[in-house]
Amino acid sequence: MLSKVCSAALNGIDAYPVEVEVNAGYGDTLIVIVGLPDAAVKESRDRVTTALDNSGYTFPMGRMTINLAPADIKKEGPSFDLPIAIGMLAASEQIETDQLENFVLVGELALTGAVRQAKGVLPIALCARATGKTGILVPPENAAEAAVVEGLRVIPVRNLREAAQFLEGEIKINPIRLDIRKIFEQDGDDDVDFSEVKGQENVKRALEIAAAGGHNVLLIGPPGTGKSMLAKRLATILPPLTLNEALETTKIHSIMGLLEPGQALVTQRPFRAPHHTASDAGLLGGNMNPTPGEISLAHHGVLFLDELPEFKRNVLETMRQPLEEGRVTISRAAGTMTFPSQFMLVAAMNPTPDGKMPHESKNSPREIQNYLGKISGPLLDRIDLHVEVPQVKFREISGERTGETSAQIRQRVIAARTIQQKRFAHKPRITCNARLGPKELKEFCALDDATKELLKNAMADLNFSARAYDRILKVARTIADLAGSDKILSEHVSEAVQYRSLDRQLWT
């Protein structure tokens, strides 16, 4: 007898439907899995046969052929265990049901028959709804994640027997339902806050501008000045994730298996801080079958690179395209994948190898130049704000005075982002000032004659590149938004130029 069970597989951060066809035939007892299965899928026959036996079902005799269609795309992972087991039961007539075409099944089986947590359930649930299925059977740990998709019955099944009895109609399992608004309200207080940072008011101002416009930041200063402390608090002043942003971010974390059991959505902006020994595949993504890297895991959040010159130069250079385009394309023999990577880059570094400013350093000029030369000019040009982080004075450290809280700064950031959303309402591709293209710069960043002359003189004196000119305009537009100004004024451009001058002092 032939049975068909609906499932799905991952392709990048999306899923595509897979039909599990099971045919019970005659001959020697043998299970054959075809349809380009990887090692984990091939091993499912041993897990499934043991799970069937331990769940009280009879192992089907004869030749059992299992086809995973479409047969020209490689299938990966153990999440086909549950649909294969149900297909074998239906093909051997141990269960009778007409519900197989209505549900997508996904889940790994333990040898006891228990259904274990799977990766990528959110994109699979979205695929199930897109293909017209009425429901999905998932492990209990993934039920909340799948329930984010509206219009889909999400049925949590604890074991193989429970799944079979539900499909036969012997038992009733209530679908999981979620109130997404409550999920966003529940995820609340941050563990860190800007009020904990003593002094560094100029740096806080720069980070506020960066958050308001989605700009990249480079923090340069001696060890112990609080660069890492400040960077870790940047995510606390960013605007809350929208539902669409949360779905995109959750899909990436889901396929990498980073969601906690029972977690429905990623509602806090990600903060990723890879070690400086990270490879280009670890940062961008890759492996034999391309998977997301750190820059995609930081999508809609912050990527923090501490000790920037310690990263391999070839690794840093691979970030140039993602920083410019907001996505990364990885080509391998197995195929080409494109992953989203709209993140804020925050980098920190010492100004010299011994950590002191150049005029105080004991390193030779050649040693300093070799150290700074690990960061290329094109990469520096893609970082909008270059900020000096000075030593904190004793009276600031020992004083009782605290600065503004993250919540207070965040309100100003949200107000500036609201202005940008209204401005770019007819341009959905642009989400903030940092994403402005050449055409939009002319439209939204017009300058009067006096301000043009100021910028012209700054460009000539500091020898800025054309890309740096664009960055200055974008930052000035953000500063004007924070000030509630429709026009970019001279003081806005002057402040923006200050955030580009430090790199010229160090790198020339």
Side-chain angles (χ1 to χ4, degrees):
M1 182 178 175
L2 176 67
S3 68
K4 296 181 182 180
V5 181
C6 299
S7 188
L10 298 173
N11 183 32
I13 64 168
D14 296 311
Y16 62 93
V18 172
E19 194 172 70
V20 181
E21 301 174 315
V22 182
N23 184 74
Y26 298 101
D28 296 334
T29 301
L30 180 66
I31 299 177
V32 179
I33 302 178
V34 296
L36 285 182
D38 73 344
V41 180
K42 290 178 181 178
E43 291 172 354
S44 67
R45 59 188 166 202
D46 299 312
R47 290 191 298 270
V48 167
T49 53
T50 307
L52 286 171
D53 185 50
N54 289 330
S55 299
Y57 292 105
T58 303
F59 178 71
M61 305 301 290
R63 182 184 177 89
M64 190 74 66
T65 304
I66 301 165
N67 179 43
L68 306 177
D72 60 341
I73 304 177
K74 191 169 185 178
K75 318 300 184 307
E76 297 179 319
S79 60
F80 293 107
D81 289 1
L82 181 60
I84 287 174
I86 293 296
M88 291 174 68
L89 291 175
S92 60
E93 300 182 339
Q94 295 186 62
I95 64 171
E96 293 183 7
T97 176
D98 58 357
Q99 294 296 312
L100 291 181
E101 62 181 17
N102 297 325
F103 287 89
V104 166
L105 279 65
V106 59
E108 176 186 350
L109 287 179
L111 299 184
T112 60
V115 181
R116 287 178 170 162
Q117 185 175 0
K119 295 180 181 180
V121 168
L122 176 57
I124 289 173
L126 290 167
C127 174
R129 183 179 66 180
T131 53
K133 303 303 178 187
T134 60
I136 181 171
L137 270 64
V138 296
E141 295 86 351
N142 297 115
E145 176 187 349
V148 170
V149 182
E150 296 180 352
L152 198 66
R153 294 175 62 203
V154 178
I155 309 298
V157 289
R158 293 172 296 177
N159 52 60
L160 173 58
R161 177 164 286 277
E162 191 172 85
Q165 289 176 336
F166 170 79
L167 291 169
E168 284 190 293
E170 292 183 8
I171 62 173
K172 182 179 179 181
I173 302 176
N174 293 324
I176 299 295
R177 290 185 174 84
L178 289 180
D179 186 338
I180 295 178
R181 185 172 56 185
K182 283 187 177 180
I183 295 174
F184 279 93
E185 291 174 354
Q186 286 170 359
D187 269 342
D189 301 332
D190 296 299
D191 296 330
V192 294
D193 194 276
F194 262 100
S195 62
E196 299 162 350
V197 181
K198 297 293 184 71
Q200 304 293 18
E201 298 304 322
N202 290 337
V203 186
K204 291 179 185 178
R205 166 66 177 173
L207 292 179
E208 180 181 338
I209 294 169
H215 303 288
N216 303 319
V217 190
L218 175 62
L219 304 176
I220 307 173
T225 54
K227 299 187 296 293
S228 300
M229 187 179 187
L230 286 157
K232 290 175 182 177
R233 282 151 180 78
L234 178 59
T236 65
I237 64 173
L238 289 173
L241 284 170
T242 64
L243 178 57
N244 286 337
E245 289 175 338
L247 285 172
E248 283 185 5
T249 306
T250 305
K251 282 168 67 176
I252 298 169
H253 285 70
S254 175
I255 66 174
M256 295 300 290
L258 298 179
L259 296 183
E260 297 291 333
Q263 183 179 1
L265 278 174
V266 175
T267 56
Q268 299 285 332
R269 291 192 180 269
F271 180 88
R272 304 292 300 182
H275 193 259
H276 60 76
T277 55
S279 65
D280 53 355
L283 204 61
L284 265 73
N287 301 323
M288 289 291 291
N289 295 296
T291 54
E294 290 290 341
I295 64 172
S296 294
L297 290 170
H299 185 50
H300 292 313
V302 176
L303 178 70
F304 177 48
L305 302 184
D306 201 5
E307 304 295 343
L308 187 65
E310 300 301 326
F311 284 80
K312 295 178 182 176
R313 177 158 178 159
N314 67 300
V315 173
L316 294 178
E317 292 304 297
T318 58
M319 293 177 50
R320 284 158 57 175
Q321 180 221 0
L323 282 171
E324 202 73 30
E325 300 181 3
R327 64 180 183 273
V328 57
T329 301
I330 302 168
S331 296
R332 296 288 186 271
T336 299
M337 298 288 178
T338 298
F339 300 113
S341 59
Q342 287 191 14
F343 60 92
M344 280 183 61
L345 173 64
V346 181
M349 61 176 286
N350 299 329
T352 59
D354 63 4
K356 298 180 180 179
M357 295 304 287
H359 62 280
E360 302 172 339
S361 175
K362 294 181 180 179
N363 295 115
S364 68
R366 180 178 292 275
E367 290 173 329
I368 296 173
Q369 198 60 44
N370 289 340
Y371 176 76
L372 296 174
K374 295 179 181 179
I375 305 167
S376 69
L379 180 61
L380 277 174
D381 280 344
R382 286 169 169 83
I383 300 177
D384 303 347
L385 293 91
H386 307 147
V387 186
E388 181 179 357
V389 186
Q391 292 283 3
V392 185
K393 297 176 181 178
F394 175 77
R395 57 185 174 80
E396 293 177 329
I397 300 174
S398 59
E400 295 296 325
R401 183 174 175 270
T402 59
E404 288 184 299
T405 65
S406 292
Q408 291 171 314
I409 302 173
R410 193 184 206 188
Q411 290 304 313
R412 295 196 296 269
V413 169
I414 292 173
R417 286 286 186 109
T418 302
I419 292 171
Q420 294 166 46
Q421 288 171 4
K422 292 178 180 177
R423 179 185 300 133
F424 308 135
H426 60 294
K427 296 179 181 289
R429 182 184 61 85
I430 301 175
T431 54
C432 56
N433 288 334
R435 298 289 168 193
L436 287 170
K439 187 183 296 184
E440 291 78 25
L441 278 174
K442 289 183 179 179
E443 182 179 353
F444 301 116
C445 299
L447 304 177
D448 59 33
D449 292 340
T451 308
K452 278 183 182 178
E453 188 65 24
L454 172 67
L455 184 52
K456 176 185 173 182
N457 294 334
M459 292 285 294
D461 293 343
L462 296 170
N463 194 28
F464 285 140
S465 68
R467 185 177 283 114
Y469 172 81
D470 290 347
R471 303 289 173 181
I472 290 171
L473 284 181
K474 293 175 184 179
V475 173
R477 178 68 269 173
T478 301
I479 296 170
D481 290 340
L482 282 168
S485 173
D486 293 334
K487 295 182 179 181
I488 298 177
L489 305 178
S490 298
E491 57 263 33
H492 305 146
V493 171
S494 297
E495 186 175 1
V497 168
Q498 291 178 15
Y499 297 124
R500 301 294 308 184
S501 58
L502 180 60
D503 69 308
R504 297 299 162 187
Q505 297 171 27
L506 292 175
W507 271 267
T508 55

